[in-house]
Amino acid sequence: MRECRHGNTFKLIWGPPGTGKTKTVDVLLFSLLKLKGRTLTCVPTNTAVMEVAARLLRIVKESLESGMYGLGDIVLFGNNARMKVDGYEGLCDIFLDHRGRKLRKCLAPLSGWKHYLDSMVCFLEDPMEQYLSYKRDRNDNGDEEDIIL
């Protein structure tokens, strides 16, 4: 089905409780993830969403020997208050709202990556000027201790 070029398709997995639907969905999602397939998975309840996501995350973590994994290809989306994402170990790492908050902090003008990268570039381009600026700032703050290079 993955190699089929006839367009988008969707499949429905249905069955009574305890018949292995969640496990089947997770194995399929994991297989598609390894094949770089794009998938949107919808289930009827928040509990089911959380269970599918938690099991998929567990399969992904167990499959990688080094313990390092990239979760960029897995995104969990929904209402945090209703889904209670914090109640499931590790799911905040794939929850879209959590990623947005982390990214916002990383890109903040005075404390994010850009600020630190700009600061490092300035230091590497003119280390003596940066050192003198540092000394001036320390002296302005009343700290007279001299630093020797």
Side-chain angles (χ1 to χ4, degrees):
M1 291 298 296
R2 184 185 183 294
E3 300 302 323
C4 178
R5 302 287 183 228
H6 294 97
N8 295 333
T9 62
F10 87 86
K11 302 294 177 202
L12 175 67
I13 297 175
W14 181 90
T19 55
K21 297 178 299 295
T22 303
K23 186 169 187 152
T24 300
V25 167
D26 286 325
V27 170
L28 287 170
L29 289 174
F30 180 67
S31 298
L32 288 169
L33 185 64
K34 285 176 36 178
L35 294 170
K36 306 284 186 209
R38 289 187 170 185
T39 308
L40 172 66
T41 305
C42 303
V43 294
T45 66
N46 288 327
T47 303
V49 168
M50 300 308 290
E51 194 60 36
V52 167
R55 288 187 189 190
L56 177 61
L57 190 58
R58 192 169 32 249
I59 291 171
V60 169
K61 287 180 179 181
E62 289 172 358
S63 72
L64 300 167
E65 297 141 12
S66 67
M68 298 297 291
Y69 54 94
L71 297 177
D73 292 332
I74 304 172
V75 178
L76 176 62
F77 178 74
N79 184 316
N80 189 18
R82 291 184 186 158
M83 294 170 65
K84 300 178 180 122
V85 174
D86 298 331
Y88 290 82
E89 184 181 340
L91 285 189
C92 64
D93 293 337
I94 62 172
F95 188 57
L96 186 60
D97 290 356
H98 178 74
R99 284 184 178 176
R101 283 191 298 274
K102 281 182 124 177
L103 188 57
R104 195 174 320 124
K105 284 170 55 177
C106 291
L107 299 176
L110 298 177
S111 63
W113 296 337
K114 184 174 181 344
H115 168 71
Y116 289 111
L117 288 174
D118 288 345
S119 177
M120 182 59 74
V121 167
C122 286
F123 176 73
L124 293 173
E125 286 177 344
D126 192 358
M128 185 53 85
E129 175 56 36
Q130 294 302 311
Y131 172 69
L132 294 174
S133 174
Y134 171 75
K135 278 184 67 173
R136 279 192 301 272
D137 289 345
R138 286 183 56 100
N139 288 338
D140 290 346
N141 292 332
D143 191 353
E144 296 295 330
E145 183 180 319
D146 204 11
I147 299 172
I148 301 172
L149 288 178

